[in-house]
Amino acid sequence: MTAKKLSFYQLLQLNPVQLNQLILATNDLKKRRYYKNIILIRSILLVTFAMLFIIISTLLFGKENASIAVAFFCILLQAQFVGYDYNIKATLLNFAIICLIMGLSGAIVPKLPALMGLLVNFGLLFTITIMTCDNPQMGNVGIYAFAYLFATYFPTTSVHDLQMRLLQVFCGFILCGLILYQKHRTQFRDRQFSTVIKNYSFKEEKCRWQFRLAFGISLGLFIGQACHLPRYFWVGVASLSILSPYKLQLKSRMLQRIVGIIIGSCIFGVIYTILPRSLDTIMGPLGGFLVGFTTTYHWNTVFNCFGALVLASAIYGNGFSVGLRIFNNILGCVISALFILGFTYITRHKYHCDD
C-alpha cells in the first residue's frame, strides 16, 4: 500500500519510524507537514488513551493493580496487529493461561528465595515465549515478557487486591481475546500449537534464542534479588531489553541502553528537582508523549525513564532513584552480555552454530 492510498486512520496505525520514512520520501512540504501532524496527533491520542485506560482500570480494580492495567494496555495495542501464528482456538487457550500467570505470579514469585525464583521465572517466561513468539520478527516477546515482569514485580499485598487482580485479568482476557479473535481468527487455521512444541529443537536458532531470552532475564532477576538490590525488577527489564532482539548487535544495543538510561535519568532528575511536587504526575504522560516521536531505541530508552522514575522517586527520593536506575540497568546489561557470550560459546561448540 502506497502513502497516497493510506487514509487518516491508517496513517495513525503506523509507528513513528514508518511515518518518518514517509516524510523523508516526499519533497512536498504540505505532505511533510501533514505527516508531522499525524505523528503529533498519534502521540496525543496514545497518551490520552493510555491515561484513560489506566485511570479507569485503577478506579475499578484498585491502585495496587495499576501495573496490570499497564500490562494489558501494551498487549491491547499489540493484539490487533500480531497473533500467535497458530489457530485461534489454541491462541485463546494459551492467552488465558498467560492471563492466569499474570494474575497469580505477583502473589507468589517475589516471595520465593532467589534460587527458587530463578527456576520459576525461567519456567514461566519460557512458557510465555514459546506460546507467543513462534515468529520472533513480529516482536511479541518484548510485550508479553514485559507484561509478565510488570505484573509480577508490582505485587498485591492483600487477599482483596489479589481477588480484584484476578477479576482484572479476566476482563483483560475478554477484551484482548476479542481483539485477537476478530483480527486473527482466519489465520493459520490448520496449524496446531502442538506443532510448535514438536518442532522445538535446540539446533534451531529461534529455539536457542527463546531459551536464552527466558533464562537471561531470570538470571538478571536472580542476581538482583540475591544482592538485595532495591527495585531489582529494573535489572530484569534491562536484561529483557538486551536479550529480546532476534538478530542481536550486542555492542550497539548495550551502548544505546546504557547511554539512554544515563541521559534519561539525569534529565528526569533535573526536571524533578525544579518541578513542584504537585506536578509530579505529569512526568509519566510526558515521557509517553515524547516516546511517540522517537524513531530509535536510544531515545525510547531516554524517555521511558520518566514513568519509571516518578514512581520510584515517591518511595526512595529523587537522587537515590536516579542512581539506582542507572546502576541496575548497567548491571542488567553487563549480566546479559556475559550470559550471551557464554551461551554463544557453548552452543557454537556443541551445535556448530553461531547465534
Side-chain angles (χ1 to χ4, degrees):
M1 184 178 291
T2 64
K4 294 180 180 179
K5 295 180 181 180
L6 293 174
S7 66
F8 176 76
Y9 175 77
Q10 289 172 322
L11 286 170
L12 287 176
Q13 305 305 303
L14 301 180
N15 61 46
V17 174
Q18 293 168 319
L19 288 167
N20 191 56
Q21 289 172 346
L22 292 179
I23 293 171
L24 296 175
T26 180
N27 294 320
D28 189 322
L29 294 180
K30 186 176 180 180
K31 285 185 178 180
R32 281 175 172 256
R33 284 195 298 269
Y34 179 66
Y35 294 142
K36 289 178 180 178
N37 287 335
I38 292 290
I39 295 175
L40 174 63
I41 294 169
R42 176 186 178 277
S43 187
I44 292 172
L45 289 176
L46 273 176
V47 171
T48 303
F49 179 43
M51 290 176 62
L52 289 174
F53 187 88
I54 294 168
I55 289 170
I56 292 171
S57 296
T58 301
L59 291 174
L60 290 174
F61 303 107
K63 187 177 180 180
E64 285 212 4
N65 290 322
S67 60
I68 300 296
V70 174
F72 273 106
F73 176 75
C74 296
I75 293 172
L76 180 68
L77 295 181
Q78 184 84 343
Q80 61 178 317
F81 299 112
V82 184
Y84 295 179
D85 282 14
Y86 45 84
N87 68 73
I88 193 62
K89 182 178 178 180
T91 292
L92 294 177
L93 175 60
N94 285 348
F95 182 51
I97 294 171
I98 293 168
C99 289
L100 184 61
I101 290 172
M102 289 171 56
L104 294 174
S105 61
I108 300 171
V109 178
K111 299 176 183 178
L112 296 173
L115 183 58
M116 183 63 69
L118 168 66
L119 298 176
V120 173
N121 272 322
F122 169 68
L124 295 178
L125 281 166
F126 188 64
T127 298
I128 291 170
T129 301
I130 295 296
M131 285 180 171
T132 62
C133 200
D134 194 50
N135 185 352
Q137 288 87 349
M138 300 308 292
N140 258 358
V141 70
I143 297 298
Y144 283 93
F146 175 78
Y148 167 79
L149 292 176
F150 221 67
T152 303
Y153 289 96
F154 287 87
T156 55
T157 57
S158 70
V159 173
H160 175 263
D161 288 330
L162 177 59
Q163 292 171 340
M164 295 305 293
R165 177 169 290 203
L166 291 172
L167 178 59
Q168 187 178 12
V169 297
F170 175 74
C171 294
F173 166 73
I174 297 298
L175 176 60
C176 296
L178 286 173
I179 294 173
L180 283 169
Y181 179 82
Q182 175 65 28
K183 298 293 185 178
H184 307 291
R185 67 183 186 276
T186 60
Q187 300 173 357
F188 304 100
R189 286 179 171 175
D190 298 324
R191 192 164 191 255
Q192 305 294 322
F193 180 60
S194 58
T195 304
V196 175
I197 302 299
K198 291 175 183 177
N199 289 341
Y200 189 90
S201 170
F202 229 63
K203 294 180 180 180
E204 297 295 328
E205 181 182 7
K206 177 193 72 176
C207 300
R208 295 192 303 274
W209 169 78
Q210 290 171 324
F211 180 94
R212 185 182 71 189
L213 175 80
F215 194 85
I217 296 171
S218 304
L219 181 63
L221 292 167
F222 165 74
I223 294 175
Q225 183 181 0
C227 293
H228 303 288
L229 290 175
R231 222 69 169 181
Y232 66 88
F233 156 78
W234 284 342
V235 180
V237 173
S239 298
L240 165 63
S241 181
I242 298 300
L243 292 158
S244 57
Y246 181 49
K247 299 294 185 181
L248 184 64
Q249 294 180 323
L250 180 57
K251 289 183 181 178
S252 63
R253 187 79 172 181
M254 277 189 67
L255 182 63
Q256 289 181 70
R257 178 78 187 179
I258 292 172
V259 173
I261 287 293
I262 293 173
I263 292 174
S265 298
C266 291
I267 291 174
F268 173 88
V270 172
I271 296 175
Y272 189 88
T273 301
I274 298 171
L275 203 66
R277 293 289 70 80
S278 59
L279 297 179
D280 285 353
T281 53
I282 72 169
M283 292 296 287
L286 174 62
F289 175 74
L290 293 172
V291 165
F293 292 89
T294 61
T295 58
T296 64
Y297 170 71
H298 168 75
W299 286 109
N300 269 323
T301 302
V302 170
F303 297 128
N304 277 329
C305 288
F306 289 16
L309 281 169
V310 75
L311 295 174
S313 295
I315 302 171
Y316 304 109
N318 179 30
F320 184 79
S321 296
V322 167
L324 183 64
R325 182 161 178 83
I326 293 172
F327 177 82
N328 282 5
N329 271 269
I330 292 176
L331 178 62
C333 290
V334 172
I335 292 169
S336 299
L338 293 175
F339 173 67
I340 289 169
L341 293 174
F343 184 84
T344 302
Y345 176 82
I346 293 170
T347 54
R348 179 188 297 144
H349 285 77
K350 185 172 179 59
Y351 297 100
H352 306 288
C353 58
D354 190 3
D355 291 323

